[in-house]
Amino acid sequence: MSTEIYLHGSAATTNGVFAQTANSTIITNTTVESTLINGGVGTLTVPANGFQVGDSGRAVFGGVMNANNNQTIRIRVKAGAVVFLDSLVQNLGSSVVNDIWSLNIDFTIRSIGGPGVASIVTLGSFHYTKTSNASVQGFGFNVVNNTTFDTTISNTLDITAQWGAASTGNNIYSDLFILNKTY
């Protein structure tokens, strides 16, 4: 999906796929894996056989997060039950108070086909900036899924967060999510 736009009198190309237009639901007081995505414009679905080798994309997220001392969070990128990227459980350390978080996700389709043939590599970088002292904390994670990824079926992207403990002091939401096709 390509749309031509004009910047300062010259043509430029954008490959916007999806833009969230409202804050996500706040994930709080639960240990249930929940989506960080709310409605928007565009699509998060690639139809069956819609991927090509080399297709690449970038997702950019941002929002606000709070967490009690020594809480854990887990971030997953998936389509249905197929996980493309899993941060596993990450300890946030000291308390998080109205800190701004960002998540950048990059992916490339390496091969197409059914499970065991198709391959996707996905890398993520989750960071939050402490409002108390401006220090940046976070973690990175990457996965090559060449076992359960399937390009012969429809794939609808979802990004989730899951707290390790249910508490009203643990909450996260996204107020920005943009997905672009980069190649």
Side-chain angles (χ1 to χ4, degrees):
M1 174 175 170
S2 180
T3 305
E4 191 169 321
I5 59 173
Y6 291 91
L7 300 173
H8 307 290
S10 62
T13 302
T14 180
N15 289 306
V17 175
F18 182 86
Q20 183 171 291
T21 56
N23 290 358
S24 71
T25 300
I26 299 171
I27 302 169
T28 188
N29 201 24
T30 184
T31 59
V32 174
E33 179 183 15
S34 305
T35 188
L36 281 167
I37 302 173
N38 196 355
V41 295
T43 184
L44 294 172
T45 301
V46 175
N49 301 308
F51 282 118
Q52 296 179 17
V53 172
D55 280 351
S56 300
R58 169 166 273 201
V60 177
F61 270 90
V64 177
M65 165 171 90
N66 291 280
N68 297 327
N69 277 328
N70 295 314
Q71 296 300 303
T72 62
I73 194 166
R74 185 175 186 179
I75 306 294
R76 292 184 191 98
V77 178
K78 54 201 269 182
V82 176
V83 176
F84 300 138
L85 186 63
D86 187 342
S87 73
L88 304 176
V89 175
Q90 300 291 322
N91 189 304
L92 298 175
S94 63
S95 65
V96 176
V97 180
N98 290 323
D99 291 349
I100 304 301
W101 65 270
S102 64
L103 172 63
N104 292 309
I105 302 164
D106 293 286
F107 68 89
T108 297
I109 306 301
R110 291 184 168 179
S111 59
I112 57 175
V117 176
S119 179
I120 182 172
V121 61
T122 312
L123 292 95
S125 176
F126 183 91
H127 294 91
Y128 55 100
T129 304
K130 303 285 278 180
T131 53
S132 61
N133 62 13
S135 69
V136 177
Q137 298 178 22
F139 50 89
F141 47 118
N142 73 307
V143 173
V144 175
N145 182 326
N146 56 10
T147 57
T148 59
F149 180 48
D150 186 349
T151 64
T152 66
I153 63 170
S154 178
N155 284 276
T156 300
L157 181 68
D158 194 13
I159 290 91
T160 64
Q162 183 175 11
W163 291 107
S167 169
T168 57
N170 298 339
N171 54 74
I172 187 170
Y173 70 89
S174 68
D175 51 16
L176 174 72
F177 167 41
I178 302 166
L179 177 63
N180 288 297
K181 183 174 180 183
T182 57
Y183 184 84

